[in-house]
Amino acid sequence: MVMDTPLSATSQGSDPQIQAFKKARENFLAGLLSGMSWLLVAFIILFLLTITINGWPTVSANGFEFLYTSPDKGLDEGGVGPAIFGTIALVVLMTFFALPVGVFTSIYLVEYAGGKPFSRIIRAAVNNLAGVPSIVFGLFGVAFFVLFIGRGLDGLLGYSLANPLWGKPALLWAALTMALLVLPIVIVNTEEALLAVPVSLRSASLALGATQWETISRVVLPQAIPGILTGSILSISRGAGEVAPILFTGAAFLLQDLPVFPGTVIIDPSKQFMELGYHIFILATQSSDVEKTRPAQYASTFVLLAITFFLNFAAIILRSQFRKRAIR
Amino acid sequence: MAVSSQSKGNNALRSDKSSAKYTQERVIETALLTVASLAVASIALIFVLLLYQGLQGLTFFGGDIQPNQFWSITTEKEDLVRNPDGSIKTDSEGDFVYEKKQVISSDWQPTSSQLPQYSLIPLLIGSLKVALPSAILAALIGVFVAIYLSELASVRVREVVKPILELLAGVPSVVLGFFALVTIASFVEWITHIPVIFEFLSQTPVLNRLFFPACTFAEGSDLQSVCLSRSQALGVTGGYLNVMVGALGVALVIIPVIATIAEDALRAVPDSIRDASMALGGSRWQTAFSAVVPAAVSGLAAAVILGLGRSLGETMIVLMATGNASITNLNLLDSGRAITATIAAELGESPAGGDHYNALFFIGGVLFIFTFVLNIIGEIVINRARQKVRGGS
């Protein structure tokens, strides 16, 4: 912007008028940039306040019954208990799939692959997986998990098309779809954690006669656990908030039953489930009286925001802890 | 990148290749490689599946969709044939005679019982109508905030602003969709009703095409007078939920994306460049704008490209806030139907394996290719920029 004028002109002050003009221009730019940044900050705070002020009264009414009661009268009344349970079930199952795959992929990339061409292909794939639109994961989940694998399983197990066990939307398929979506988050964070473990530790272990896998499993991984945990928490936060991938792979409008085996608290992965984000979407766009359920919409949104913020906050704290440790 | 010290470790083992430990190590490495290949396999599988399922709907592969239906701007319609005198022509048995005509139209109407239409044009326009304004807005704000945070803000300010920006990055898109639906929509309606802003948007040549197309007619015509009454003009052009509401919501998603990548690009500029500028007497502002920003410009461009990719793929906000009517126009205050929202809204009610279902996979494939290409370009630009900055230091 000021490229065409020699920089020295300002400091030498050849002409006080020009200098004053430049000063004014700088002040204007300063005001513009800091103003814009602070405006954004103010806006974000305002946004959070809007959700909190409108959501908190409903959430906290009658001893927080909103958090554990079921929706009632269609969706018009009641709480989000099943939706919270479904969200937890989803992220637990998702982590069960995404964490091992993500951690092992990172171990391969950092500890084994080195500069091999295949590692570049894996990295490119991970980067691109992170950029795939979430609705495309939803399409993939329907076609691959629900229809291809699910119906295939039903064929093997002898379930009919009319009465499928696996060939329909289910918690398992939603969790697998979501696991694909969060895989890059786990990988990137685990890689960072592994790279932060000093090479000297590996050398020491190898020098003592440990094999490479012994070195990794007993020396490197324990050191990297905070970083792996950060990645898991961030991916859980992402998984809890995404809706598009589960629209057709498992989330349900309104269910009386939790996705568990009857009479137990063990998650039944073949059932459909209610989910917080999906619940917000349904309440805000599909409920019979959108204005009437507005308080419940704000309250559900507040609950989802609180969960994701708590998780993100935990991840940020954890990350700064292990970064400090890595520097030492 | 890798801190592998495998050669040392393996040499000891290689001396006795038959040992159980050696075999165990090889097995583990192969197992890890297999798991690591899952990422590659899944992205390949996603692409192949979209392509396979998407092409199933086409006539070559047994479906009923003519390939040119996807991009044609004319449609074949059956119409009654009329006699020269204007009466409806009938055949010898008294039935009406129909003929097929080419009509100019490009609609996405997959559920039409008579003639399903699968033109991508309204969907592409819908997607771009949301993605471009949001990317432009977010690029402006994101890049400025990045410059401020990286070059000019004090450490204290950074420590306040950065975490708040990270908070925004962590907000689920369905929450922003809800916010767009209840708050941004009223905001857009309110701000377009403010007289000064209305006059500006409706009387400025290019802007009025984007916001109040009814006002683009020649002065003195009837439509011009319609336009002069605000509420009527707003009534004419779209409703409470429109593309602009969605675009503002999507901008909130991609501002942190752009700001983070842009800040990384600015921080990658070596301090020697800043020092050189300062040593020549440049102020912090001059250094930022005439030395650092030009050095980081390709990184900033990459940030915007990646942001655009994200905004094209954003689903929930677009689904909840843009109104979703498939309309082919450039009016930002009108409803629009993006590709993502179309898939999200229609996949549930299209029977698996049918033309409609396959067409949704086809547009999913189109979306995948768009975002894939944008991501690749972004990555390449970022890598080049990194090399340039490192090489130049």
Side-chain angles (χ1 to χ4, degrees):
Chain A
M1 266 180 201
V2 246
M3 273 268 244
D4 48 344
T5 55
L7 291 173
S8 56
T10 327
S11 58
Q12 284 165 7
S14 48
D15 184 342
Q17 235 177 337
I18 289 177
Q19 211 181 0
F21 170 71
K22 280 189 176 155
K23 192 83 204 149
R25 189 170 59 178
E26 275 186 19
N27 285 340
F28 173 73
L29 282 173
L32 189 71
L33 258 71
S34 59
M36 205 173 245
S37 304
W38 287 108
L39 206 67
L40 183 65
V41 168
F43 175 80
I44 295 168
I45 292 171
L46 200 72
F47 155 67
L48 298 178
L49 278 179
T50 312
I51 304 286
T52 309
I53 290 170
N54 288 298
W56 180 253
T58 315
V59 172
S60 61
N62 298 330
F64 291 92
E65 69 169 10
F66 186 77
L67 297 179
Y68 55 83
T69 51
S70 294
D72 207 3
K73 302 196 175 147
L75 288 168
D76 287 354
E77 285 169 27
V80 290
I84 293 179
F85 183 88
T87 308
I88 293 170
L90 173 73
V91 295
V92 166
L93 218 55
M94 170 202 86
T95 312
F96 177 76
F97 295 118
L99 193 60
V101 174
V103 169
F104 287 135
T105 304
S106 318
I107 292 176
Y108 181 78
L109 283 174
V110 174
E111 307 289 338
Y112 289 89
K116 285 182 196 163
F118 192 64
S119 77
R120 293 180 62 186
I121 297 178
I122 296 176
R123 269 211 182 84
V126 171
N127 278 345
N128 277 299
L129 205 56
V132 171
S134 52
I135 189 68
V136 170
F137 283 107
L139 278 175
F140 177 76
V142 171
F144 185 70
F145 291 130
V146 179
L147 296 180
F148 184 71
I149 294 191
R151 278 198 182 160
L153 269 179
D154 275 351
L156 287 176
L157 300 173
Y159 288 92
S160 66
L161 268 181
N163 189 17
L165 177 68
W166 293 110
K168 62 176 173 42
L171 180 56
L172 177 66
W173 308 136
L176 279 167
T177 311
M178 203 61 103
L180 265 185
L181 185 135
V182 299
L183 191 58
I185 303 175
V186 179
I187 293 177
V188 167
N189 282 283
T190 310
E191 255 197 287
E192 195 196 339
L194 292 174
L195 285 168
V197 178
V199 183
S200 54
L201 279 182
R202 293 183 181 83
S203 309
S205 166
L206 292 169
L208 288 169
T211 62
Q212 196 176 359
W213 177 247
E214 285 164 351
T215 304
I216 292 166
S217 58
R218 304 210 188 137
V219 177
V220 180
L221 273 185
Q223 291 284 316
I225 280 178
I228 296 173
L229 219 55
T230 312
S232 324
I233 296 174
L234 284 177
S235 63
I236 290 172
S237 153
R238 178 82 192 277
E242 279 288 346
V243 178
I246 59 162
L247 280 175
F248 312 110
T249 52
F253 220 75
L254 173 62
L255 283 179
Q256 290 308 326
D257 303 321
L258 297 177
V260 291
F261 290 106
T264 65
V265 285
I266 303 164
I267 296 167
D268 178 356
S270 71
K271 292 217 167 99
Q272 282 191 281
F273 60 103
M274 291 185 73
E275 203 256 5
L276 258 180
Y278 186 65
H279 189 66
I280 294 170
F281 164 64
I282 294 295
L283 276 184
T285 60
Q286 323 266 302
S287 61
S288 53
D289 186 350
V290 175
E291 286 304 324
K292 194 178 150 205
T293 58
R294 203 62 98 196
Q297 294 165 26
Y298 273 112
S300 312
T301 309
F302 175 76
V303 173
L304 180 59
L305 255 187
I307 292 174
T308 50
F309 277 7
F310 172 74
L311 291 169
N312 282 341
F313 191 66
I316 289 170
I317 302 265
L318 207 62
R319 177 184 278 168
S320 67
Q321 289 295 326
F322 92 79
R323 275 196 183 149
K324 264 183 215 155
R325 217 171 65 182
I327 289 165
R328 255 184 246 148
Chain B
M1 191 84 180
V3 273
S4 154
S5 36
Q6 69 189 80
S7 49
K8 274 185 241 161
N10 290 344
N11 280 343
L13 293 164
R14 237 168 241 144
S15 57
D16 181 11
K17 288 201 173 189
S18 61
S19 81
K21 270 195 171 176
Y22 180 82
T23 323
Q24 194 193 347
E25 287 290 303
R26 287 291 78 84
V27 169
I28 289 172
E29 185 174 348
T30 315
L32 286 174
L33 172 65
T34 314
V35 174
S37 316
L38 273 179
V40 184
S42 47
I43 193 126
L45 201 60
I46 289 175
F47 182 65
V48 169
L49 199 103
L50 289 176
L51 204 69
Y52 169 80
Q53 195 71 54
L55 293 179
Q56 291 282 303
L58 297 182
T59 43
F60 317 122
F61 301 97
D64 297 321
I65 306 171
Q66 303 272 348
N68 64 3
Q69 263 185 278
F70 282 127
W71 54 83
S72 78
I73 49 167
T74 60
T75 313
E76 221 168 50
K77 270 193 178 149
E78 278 196 338
D79 214 356
L80 292 167
V81 180
R82 287 179 185 274
N83 291 320
D85 59 5
S87 61
I88 295 167
K89 191 173 173 181
T90 53
D91 61 13
S92 51
E93 286 162 21
D95 292 332
F96 296 140
V97 178
Y98 291 92
E99 66 171 359
K100 286 189 170 176
K101 273 187 187 165
Q102 289 289 324
V103 193
I104 293 182
S105 90
S106 55
D107 281 335
W108 175 266
Q109 279 176 355
T111 49
S112 156
S113 55
Q114 287 160 346
L115 194 80
Q117 290 176 64
Y118 298 99
S119 174
L120 295 187
I121 289 166
L123 305 186
L124 289 174
I125 289 181
S127 272
L128 290 177
K129 258 163 69 172
V130 177
L132 286 179
S134 67
I136 291 169
L137 186 71
L140 264 176
I141 297 177
V143 169
F144 277 8
V145 169
I147 295 174
Y148 178 68
L149 285 182
S150 149
E151 303 301 316
L152 308 162
S154 64
V155 178
R156 251 199 183 164
V157 168
R158 253 183 69 83
E159 275 174 359
V160 177
V161 177
K162 202 84 211 276
I164 292 180
L165 211 60
E166 273 174 25
L167 273 187
L168 182 62
V171 175
S173 70
V174 68
V175 169
L176 289 172
F178 172 67
F179 183 69
L181 187 80
V182 291
T183 308
I184 298 179
S186 327
F187 170 76
V188 168
E189 196 173 64
W190 169 74
I191 203 164
T192 46
H193 273 79
I194 293 175
V196 183
I197 292 177
F198 175 77
E199 303 276 297
F200 175 71
L201 291 179
S202 59
Q203 306 304 328
T204 315
V206 178
L207 288 181
N208 60 3
R209 285 189 181 274
L210 294 178
F211 291 96
F212 297 102
C215 305
T216 55
F217 292 88
E219 217 162 299
S221 77
D222 288 346
L223 281 164
Q224 176 77 15
S225 54
V226 166
C227 167
L228 292 176
S229 119
R230 278 186 294 283
S231 50
Q232 271 178 303
L234 286 163
V236 167
T237 64
Y240 185 67
L241 294 180
N242 54 50
V243 168
M244 203 59 217
V245 177
L248 289 175
V250 175
L252 289 178
V253 176
I254 57 175
I255 284 171
V257 174
I258 294 182
T260 310
I261 304 171
E263 208 203 336
D264 284 347
L266 291 166
R267 302 200 134 228
V269 174
D271 277 340
S272 55
I273 289 185
R274 293 188 185 87
D275 295 343
S277 164
M278 295 281 200
L280 287 169
S283 67
R284 272 165 80 200
W285 302 94
Q286 285 172 320
T287 305
F289 280 103
S290 17
V292 181
V293 169
V297 75
S298 45
L300 300 181
V304 177
I305 292 169
L306 292 173
L308 181 65
R310 275 293 293 275
S311 66
L312 273 176
E314 180 50 57
T315 308
M316 294 316 288
I317 298 175
V318 179
L319 179 62
M320 291 168 86
T322 55
N324 286 327
S326 83
I327 296 172
T328 310
N329 65 24
L330 295 179
N331 187 353
L332 295 181
L333 290 179
D334 206 342
S335 183
R337 190 175 193 112
I339 293 176
T340 51
T342 307
I343 300 172
E346 294 176 9
L347 190 65
E349 57 209 33
S350 63
D355 281 340
H356 184 191
Y357 178 85
N358 293 334
L360 291 176
F361 277 81
F362 187 86
I363 61 174
V366 171
L367 178 70
F368 179 86
I369 292 171
F370 277 174
T371 51
F372 191 81
V373 168
L374 283 173
N375 285 334
I376 298 263
I377 294 175
E379 290 290 326
I380 291 174
V381 174
I382 283 185
N383 285 334
R384 287 246 172 100
R386 239 176 242 156
Q387 280 163 9
K388 201 181 95 185
V389 163
R390 284 204 187 127
S393 64

